[in-house]
Amino acid sequence: LTVLLQMLEDGEIDLLGGMNYHPSLATRYAYPNYNYGTSYTVLRVRADNTAINEGNYQTLDHIRVGYLAPATSRLKALEAFCESNHLSMQAVAFYDERGWEGALRTKTVDALLGSDTDPRENTRVVAKFDPHPFYLATSKDNTALIRQINAAITQVNSVDPSFAATLYEKYFGNQPAGLMLSDEEKSYIA
């Protein structure tokens, strides 16, 4: 990402997507008035884990959550999520992606802390929180392009207000098909 930001600043590329807005970045890059989507921090469990239910946050209480050590802002978001939902979780740091993903496969952790825009095979999202709008950005002096982006986003939203939601669902709504019942729900039905 650092290389792409420098290329954008140097004018080697005109536009960069997936940018979060931050005041310090806004001093270096130009953002349009409107975002073109929102990403969330998520908890993912194994697709076959029926003990944890996305409809009941209490099933998340006392689980082990694997996170990538550099993702300190995600960890803070998890802590806030736990506090607001009166949950206790054990966070387990990983320093490489292979170990992080492998820990879920081997059940060393119960869930992975990550982004909804980074889907993982054989997993499902059980909690989604900490929304962050993302933007297209350009070099600070490219105001003409920013005006065009603003106009385009406005036009798309006026013609199809659900366009962003439809795209999000198409590319990031990768939940397994079908009804997922928790172990407790299966027991009750039986």
Side-chain angles (χ1 to χ4, degrees):
L1 182 60
T2 306
V3 172
L4 291 173
L5 290 172
Q6 191 60 52
M7 291 174 71
L8 184 62
E9 197 168 334
D10 294 343
E12 294 177 51
I13 58 176
D14 294 321
L15 199 58
L16 184 59
M19 293 278 293
N20 288 326
Y21 178 85
H22 192 275
S24 65
L25 292 174
T27 63
R28 296 173 59 194
Y29 310 104
Y31 289 86
N33 296 336
Y34 312 106
N35 69 63
Y36 70 97
T38 303
S39 64
Y40 295 84
T41 297
V42 296
L43 287 175
R44 292 181 181 281
V45 298
R46 290 167 47 122
D48 63 355
N49 181 345
T50 58
I52 299 175
N53 182 326
E54 67 264 18
N56 180 357
Y57 284 165
Q58 291 310 306
T59 62
L60 298 170
D61 203 19
H62 301 294
I63 66 170
R64 296 172 318 253
V65 177
Y67 73 97
L68 290 169
T72 56
S73 62
R74 285 198 203 290
L75 183 58
K76 286 179 184 173
L78 175 64
E79 290 166 353
F81 172 78
C82 288
E83 185 176 329
S84 68
N85 289 287
H86 310 290
L87 301 172
S88 175
M89 292 185 199
Q90 178 188 354
V92 181
F94 290 89
Y95 297 90
D96 66 85
E97 203 167 307
R98 177 179 260 179
W100 174 67
E101 278 190 304
L104 186 64
R105 278 192 303 276
T106 61
K107 300 182 182 179
T108 304
V109 297
D110 303 299
L112 298 178
L113 181 65
S115 171
D116 63 336
T117 58
D118 185 19
R120 301 289 163 161
E121 283 188 29
N122 302 314
T123 66
R124 61 187 175 87
V125 172
V126 293
K128 186 160 75 167
F129 50 95
D130 192 35
H132 289 280
F134 50 86
Y135 297 83
L136 296 164
T138 189
S139 60
K140 194 68 178 162
D141 61 348
N142 202 342
T143 56
L145 184 54
I146 289 298
R147 282 193 303 276
Q148 290 174 330
I149 293 169
N150 281 331
I153 292 173
T154 299
Q155 187 172 3
V156 167
N157 288 338
S158 68
V159 171
D160 185 358
S162 62
F163 182 73
T166 302
L167 280 181
Y168 178 89
E169 192 57 37
K170 179 178 179 179
Y171 293 105
F172 304 117
N174 65 336
Q175 293 289 59
L179 178 64
M180 295 291 293
L181 299 175
S182 71
D183 291 339
E184 184 179 317
E185 291 165 332
K186 289 176 186 176
S187 178
Y188 177 79
I189 291 169

